[in-house]
Amino acid sequence: MRALVQRVSEARVRVGSEVIGEIGPGLLIFVCAMQGDSKAEAAQLVHKISRLRIFRDDAGRMNRSVADIKGAALVVSQFTLAADTKSGTRPGFSKAAPPTEGELLYRYFCDQMRQTELPVATGEFGADMKVSLVNDGPVTIWLDTDDRKPRSQ
């Protein structure tokens, strides 16, 4: 599973003219389920993100988590994180989980984020969404559970 995490002072997601998710200070989390991912990868990613110390402490160092600052999370599905750009100029997305599996893992990820007791807002899986944000820092972190798996030789 992949995630692009941005530290934000605010973020919102619209579908059409309706704001369906909005947060103040916290994390905007774009997530993508990859082929072969399971609930274990989603839970691992939630664990990592919820404890990620990327917020400033009193000394100005990145030493606090989103929970430490009493922030929130806005979780948006984004299958384009699976883009393969190794050849040509048109990205391929064949490594993304099929839509049915992707949606199940996205929903599970969101449910697990809520279990951390953070306020969680979400986008709408598969919708054409407009996301706006104010990136704080800017701080943007790329996470991929595949980076933790042993690679075959």
Side-chain angles (χ1 to χ4, degrees):
M1 202 156 192
R2 291 181 176 169
L4 184 73
V5 179
Q6 295 186 314
R7 185 178 78 186
V8 298
S9 53
E10 62 183 60
R12 70 189 47 81
V13 61
R14 295 182 195 286
V15 173
S17 62
E18 182 183 355
V19 174
I20 63 167
E22 185 171 22
I23 63 168
L27 299 174
L28 172 57
I29 308 164
F30 293 104
V31 295
C32 176
M34 305 294 288
Q35 283 189 14
D37 282 346
S38 68
K39 289 181 177 180
E41 282 82 13
Q44 175 188 15
L45 204 52
V46 166
H47 179 80
K48 180 79 167 189
I49 292 170
S50 65
R51 289 164 176 74
L52 203 57
R53 298 182 330 172
I54 60 173
F55 292 88
R56 293 181 189 95
D57 63 14
D58 293 336
R61 299 186 65 200
M62 289 197 299
N63 204 26
R64 291 186 176 156
S65 70
V66 65
D68 294 335
I69 66 144
K70 299 190 181 347
L74 174 56
V75 183
V76 176
S77 63
Q78 187 173 351
F79 83 95
T80 60
L81 292 178
D84 181 353
T85 59
K86 289 182 181 155
S87 63
T89 56
R90 183 170 188 264
F93 302 102
S94 62
K95 293 182 182 179
T100 303
E101 290 173 37
E103 184 172 8
L104 288 172
L105 288 172
Y106 168 72
R107 292 188 185 285
Y108 182 78
F109 180 91
C110 292
D111 290 343
Q112 292 299 298
M113 282 299 295
R114 289 183 182 99
Q115 294 297 314
T116 68
E117 300 185 11
L118 290 172
V120 176
T122 64
E124 182 181 324
F125 186 90
D128 180 17
M129 297 175 277
K130 306 300 182 212
V131 180
S132 58
L133 66 128
V134 177
N135 191 317
D136 179 21
V139 175
T140 303
I141 308 288
W142 171 265
L143 299 168
D144 189 335
T145 57
D146 196 45
D147 291 344
R148 294 175 164 247
K149 296 176 187 172
R151 297 178 194 252
S152 57
Q153 299 294 329

